[in-house]
Each structure stands twice: as C-alpha cells, then as structure tokens.
Amino acid sequence: MEVITIETRQLGDRTYLVHDGATGVVIDPQRDTDRVEKAVADAGVRITHVAETHIHNDYVTGGLQLARDHNAAYLVNAKDNVPYQRQPISDGDTVQVGRMTLKAVATPGHTHHHLSYIVTDGERQAVFSGGSLLYGSVGRTDLVSEEDTVPLTHHQYASVRRLVEEAGQDAGLYPTHGFGSFCSSGPASAAESSTIGEQLKENHALTDPDEDHFVSELIHNLTAYPSYYAHMAPINLAGPTAPDLELPDSPDGEELASRLRRGEWVVDLRNRIAFASSHLSGSVSFEYGDGTKFTAFLGWVLPWGEQLTLVGGRQDVENAIRDLSRIGIDNPDAAIGTGPQDVAPGAATSSYQSVGWQEVLQKPEEDLILDVRRTDEFSKSHIRQAVNIPVHELLRRMDELSAGRVWVHCGSGYRSAVAASLLQRAGRDVVHIDGNFRDAKKAGMALALNQAQAEPGTA
C-alpha cells in the first residue's frame, strides 16, 4: 500500500490517493481534480473508489466529478441525504479496493455523520481521519450550529477514542484538516506526519481523562471561522460541478474603469507594498502568494456572490482562479498586467503610506490605531488605545470608527493591507502598518496584555 498526499496549502487541507500498485481509492478530493488525475497517472493505477469522510464545510469537493470521470464507486455516508448517485456506506462496512480493505468507522464530532476510514493491506494499516483525529488535536465542532456544538464536542471526544481502539498503534494517521485549516481546533501541531501511537501520547483529546474538561476547553478556545463556510455544505450536498479554470478575456481599460466607478469589486493581486504605492482608485488589495491565505480571507471579507475582477500578472490570476474555485467562487473576470497603467491606461489611481512600527511612534496623538486581528488575538495582547474590528467584520462596522486618519495593523501586514484598501475605498484617510506585531513592543509601542502576558501572535 502506498499513500500519496496531494496538498492544498492555501486551505490547509490534504487529499489522499491510496493504492496497492494497481488499484486505488481517493479520499477527500478537492474540486480541481486535475491534480489528482496527475497523481493517478504518475502512479499508473486505476481508481475504483472515491471516498468522502464528511460533507465538507471549508471547500467544494471534487469527489462526485472524479467518481464519474473514472466510473468509480462514490462512498458517502448513508445518513447524508444527497440527490446524486453514490454508494452509501455506514459504520462497520468494509469495501475491497484491489488487495486493500477499507473499513468505515463512525466518528461524529466535526459533523454529525462524519466517517473515518481504516485501510489495511496485509500488515500495513493507515487511518484517514478527515476532520476527526488531527495531529495534536481534533476538528472543530461548532460548524453545524450553536446548539449542536456541545453535544458534537462530546461526540468528538468519544469518537477519537473509538478510532484509536479500532486501529493499531503503528498505523499511519492521515487527516484531511489541520495544516492551517480553519476546520482544526485547539493545539493542532505543525507535524507533517504521525501515527496512532504518537497521538495516544501527545493529543489532548486522547490524554485528557476528563471529558467535561476537554469539552469546555475545546469550546472556550474556538476562534472565528470564514463566513463562506456557510455556503460549502449546501453546494456539496447538491453535487458540485467541475470548475472552469480557463483564463477569461480581459476587459479593456475603459470597461475596467467603468466597473470601478460602479462600485464593483476589483481585486488587485500584487504585492501589498506595490499596491500601497499605486493602484486603481476603488480597487482592493488581496496579495496573492503561497503563504498568504488569499482564498480564505477573500471569501471571508468580500460579499458572497458578487462579481469579481482580478487584476495582476498572468500566473497569479490563473492560480487565483483555481484557488477561488475551491470555495465555490466561479468565473471571475480578469485583467492581466503588472500595474494600473497596464490594465487601465489613464484611469484614476490612488496610494497610501505603508510604514513600519518605528514610524507609528511618530503618529499624531489624535490619529486612530485600528487592529484588524481576530478578537481572541486582540484580547491576548494589543497596542494601548487601539480599536479592534476584525478585518472580516470591517465592511459592516466602518461607521463605528471615529473621524480622522486611521493607522491599521494586524499580525503580519496582510490583513491590514486588505483593511487599508477597504477603508480607502470607503473614502477614509489611511496609513498601512506593514509590520509583524511581535516586533511592536521592541519598537517601543506600549502594549496592553492579559494576565497570561501572552506572546503577540503573528498570523
């Protein structure tokens, strides 16, 4: 048995191709299945099964399309009410995949009908735990509803214990979430691999002997998650279509300028410093890059369902179209170019200051400092007198800000660049603080700390 990992770092998720050298199963595929197709072709195997651990809340699945493309059995929990053809699978059911045996284990907690899969090939065993048992923690339990959170957290505690009893300690553990995904919770580790035995020693869901303590701690430490999650499960339950990843024709400069005047969302993918220096008036900054969480924040911050026009270099635009398709944002328009004059010659441009923490020390006393980190980050440590409005709440809460210039920061500079562009688009005078928050104290900024004197975050 070989396990091939197909990673989606932008969302913090993993897809797995598991095969015996001839026959394989794909577990939790993302919507852009061409990456899976390449892995299948490189391995030289035939896909007979595609399996979902759960109806996903953080991305649009490619499972249905992949199963159809390969005439493969699509394994979805029998309890999930879906309109498309699938092979229903329930707790304890086994399926033969070549010489491998796949067993379904009910592990409710992340969702009501969550399944994990134990795949066995001779003496080797691998556990595919989806959003159940993660490296160091478990999948979050508050995505279904507020009233379900406590019972689901109790289920999660029991589920991971049952799962490790069903599997051997030498079994490799392969979760779908936990690599930066907002679907993870608690002290998820940065480990790249693990076994059931290692988790028995290290995972708080398995080492905490007090179920009520585990439940209260997990719920207490849950943080905000992207608003686009509300749209993922309905799309996945209905049966997603294949994405259109083709680059669209670019609108001409006059049309792009007209869209800006009409207040449409024009998203600039360039580096945030380049954006601050010069950008199309009314456009917003969502810097594209491997470590930026572009997809999550754009889907979280901008209104759902409104037409987007992406502006940037060809490679970034193509990658952004792919990334956005994974969360159900389809068919954005695109304008290719390296700067405002490339995509809309003669159109109005704007700029704002981008500074470090040393420059903030010189700001006028009456100017406002806006912290756009999450509320849990702010409560641990923040600049004295700073106002906190998380970036994902800014569009609906701008009228809470006092008049005058706004100096905006976050943990690293990324979210504050988004916020600065939104504020300027709304007519505010802004200064973008492009610095890591952990450097604020060293620069001389006065901090307010909670009793734990927590180290400032960097996210």
Side-chain angles (χ1 to χ4, degrees), residues 9 21 94 112 185 233 257 268 284 304 307 368 375 416 436:
R9 292 187 182 276
T94 60
H112 286 293
S185 66
D268 194 318
V284 291
W304 184 262
Q307 183 63 39
L368 174 70
T375 55
S416 53
N436 197 307

Side-chain angles (χ1 to χ4, degrees), residues 11-130:
L11 296 176
D13 294 322
R14 289 179 175 179
T15 294
Y16 299 100
L17 166 61
V18 193
H19 68 85
D20 62 5
T23 306
V25 55
V26 178
I27 298 173
D28 286 348
Q30 294 264 339
R31 192 182 184 195
D32 51 327
T33 58
D34 55 342
R35 297 181 298 151
V36 178
E37 298 287 7
K38 183 179 186 306
V40 170
D42 289 347
V45 298
R46 181 171 65 96
I47 297 303
T48 59
H49 294 78
V50 177
E52 302 282 9
T53 58
H54 59 293
I55 302 298
H56 301 284
N57 286 292
D58 67 327
Y59 67 85
V60 177
T61 182
L64 178 61
Q65 187 64 46
L66 189 67
R68 287 172 173 169
D69 290 344
H70 288 265
N71 196 26
Y74 189 30
L75 305 179
V76 177
N77 195 321
K79 293 182 179 179
D80 287 317
N81 184 20
V82 296
Y84 44 79
Q85 184 176 356
R86 47 82 187 266
Q87 180 174 320
I89 188 167
S90 301
D91 181 39
D93 288 351
T94 60
V95 174
Q96 204 65 30
V97 183
R99 66 170 186 263
M100 303 179 297
T101 301
L102 178 149
K103 179 181 179 180
V105 180
T107 47
H110 187 51
T111 64
H112 286 293
H113 303 152
H114 191 284
L115 294 173
S116 296
Y117 299 106
I118 300 176
V119 179
T120 304
D121 182 3
E123 295 185 357
R124 187 176 177 196
Q125 199 174 62
V127 177
F128 299 89
S129 56

Side-chain angles (χ1 to χ4, degrees), residues 22 33 38 47 62 83 94 148 150 167 187-188 211 213 253 283 300 344 348 374 379 396 423 440 442 455:
T33 58
K38 183 179 186 306
I47 297 303
T94 60
D148 285 319
V150 171
E211 181 174 343
H213 175 264
S283 62
W300 199 349
R374 299 187 312 271
S379 67
R396 62 181 174 82
L423 287 163
K442 289 183 287 185
E455 181 69 18

